[in-house]
Amino acid sequence: VKEGGRAGFRFHVPRKEVDLLSRMRLDHDMRQALAEGRFRLHYQPQVELGSDRVIGAEALIRWRDPQRGEISPAEFIPLAEESGFVVAIGDWVLKEAVAQAARWLARGLRMPVAVNVSALQFQQPHFVDTVAAALRDAMLPASLLELELTEGVLMRDTEEGLRRMHALAALGVTLSIDDFGTGYSSLGYLKRFPIQRLKIDRSFVQGLPGDPSDVGIANAIVQMGRALGLQVIAEGVETEAQRDFLAQAGCHEFQGYLFARPLRPDEFEQRVRPRRHV
Ligand code: C2E
Ligand code: CA
Ligand code: CA
Ligand code: CA
């Protein structure tokens, strides 16, 4: 006997169809959530070694549904990627993150904001125009926007992708490779693409400093990044031992629970300027 779940009829429905039903429902709710303005962005501090200065913020989408509660982007972003709705979500995220950076700037807080870009979003013919328009509308300097691309994004259509990356770089936007090392990488593109930053994926940080393969991979990424003149940031840093290992390996920027969780914009501002009273 299988667990019934909320709806009793699930009992006789083959598993695949249950999945399809719940995915359709999730897709529907996701569209409604965007229409009703239920998405929020949280911002996770990126911290510089030594000074502990916050040098940037990664925008991460949050969705709290009245019925379902908090739904992880790890659950709905992949679904949105399949259905194509991630383009609409991505447009909203871009506008909102740029607007937030502009609000901070207007209050004297100059904070670069990093936005996750999905493959489908990057492939939109007007993506570069969309980015330029978002910056213009918010009157935000392009230097305060970073776009996090995954290796999958970069490998798909190299000619057009390369052209697009150069156009974004020409705007003054920073480009980084997210989850570096997890995709099917070709080292050649690191040289050809106008990338400024690598993010070491959490899966390689987790086993530090004990796991010999994580040690090897982390060292290799840091050294390669430095050889190419790229910034290297480690994500998912949870322990002092991980931080210390990465620091001695030559990685000087960190993001992870050891420093801070993703925060609401007001919490983020508090954290960055604790002495400012409103
Ligand atoms: P990601 O881009 O690799 O983002 C980092 C994820 O790791 C975030 O999960 C963050 O909350 C989490 N994290 C940060 N520090 C730590 C740590 O020390 N330990 C652990 N265990 N986790 C840590 P989150 O917010 O649940 O997002 C999951 C994924 O969903 C993101 O992975 C990204 O791929 C996607 N995502 C989130 N927001 C957006 C968005 O606005 N647009 C797009 N396209 N994707 C997004
Ligand atoms: Ca990211
Ligand atoms: Ca990442
Ligand atoms: Ca990751």
Side-chain angles (χ1 to χ4, degrees):
V1 176
K2 287 209 290 183
E3 275 183 43
R6 270 188 306 179
F9 68 83
R10 282 187 183 183
F11 189 80
H12 293 293
V13 181
R15 180 156 169 67
K16 257 190 184 160
E17 290 170 33
V18 173
D19 285 355
L20 183 63
L21 261 180
S22 59
R23 286 155 60 86
M24 285 170 68
R25 215 171 282 141
L26 185 61
D27 190 67
H28 168 268
D29 290 358
M30 196 165 60
R31 287 165 195 271
Q32 196 169 341
L34 185 64
E36 290 175 357
R38 287 188 196 285
F39 289 119
R40 296 281 179 274
L41 292 182
H42 282 191
Y43 296 86
Q44 188 174 33
Q46 301 179 333
V47 175
E48 182 185 61
L49 177 71
S51 69
D52 269 3
R53 217 160 49 88
V54 177
I55 52 167
E58 179 178 4
L60 293 158
I61 195 165
R62 294 293 176 261
W63 173 17
R64 192 182 185 79
D65 181 80
Q67 264 94 52
R68 302 164 182 272
E70 198 75 36
I71 304 164
S72 163
E75 193 179 332
F76 68 86
I77 290 289
L79 184 68
E81 260 158 11
E82 279 175 40
S83 73
F85 193 57
V86 77
V87 175
I89 293 180
D91 281 352
W92 178 82
V93 170
L94 180 68
K95 275 202 193 99
E96 178 54 31
V98 163
Q100 182 61 65
R103 286 193 287 272
W104 279 331
L105 186 61
R107 295 210 292 276
L109 179 60
R110 196 178 180 82
M111 185 58 61
V113 168
V115 170
N116 290 286
V117 176
S118 83
L120 196 62
Q121 191 185 1
F122 184 76
Q123 284 164 18
Q124 297 302 299
H126 299 298
F127 181 65
V128 177
D129 299 332
T130 305
V131 172
L135 291 167
R136 201 184 324 112
D137 290 350
M139 294 195 294
L140 186 76
S143 60
L144 292 182
L145 177 64
E146 174 173 339
L147 299 177
E148 297 195 358
L149 311 173
T150 58
E151 287 162 294
V153 175
L154 306 182
M155 296 314 291
R156 230 160 264 212
D157 180 355
T158 22
E159 273 309 298
E160 179 56 23
L162 190 58
R163 210 185 52 74
R164 215 162 273 187
M165 274 189 270
H166 279 291
L168 289 165
L171 285 179
V173 169
T174 300
L175 299 179
S176 62
I177 305 183
D178 199 6
D179 302 340
F180 186 72
T182 61
Y184 40 110
S185 323
S186 143
L187 296 182
Y189 72 64
L190 279 184
K191 205 176 111 178
R192 292 172 51 219
F193 289 175
I195 293 289
Q196 273 125 291
R197 201 181 203 196
L198 301 181
K199 295 192 82 171
I200 306 176
D201 189 61
R202 180 165 69 88
S203 61
F204 306 126
V205 171
Q206 243 163 352
L208 299 177
D211 181 330
S213 27
D214 284 352
V215 165
I217 292 167
N219 273 323
I221 294 176
V222 173
Q223 279 165 32
M224 188 172 53
R226 298 188 99 189
L228 293 168
L230 304 175
Q231 287 171 269
V232 179
I233 182 166
E235 69 173 24
V237 180
E238 294 182 353
T239 70
E240 288 176 5
Q242 290 167 347
R243 178 201 58 197
D244 293 345
F245 176 87
L246 287 158
Q248 64 80 33
C251 175
H252 298 153
E253 296 173 9
F254 310 102
Q255 191 181 331
Y257 296 164
L258 178 64
F259 302 92
R261 296 193 168 248
L263 305 168
R264 288 197 319 259
D266 59 312
E267 293 171 325
F268 183 95
E269 203 173 338
Q270 280 279 323
R271 154 88 199 218
V272 175
R273 320 189 267 199
R275 277 160 304 167
R276 185 189 159 99
H277 299 289
V278 187

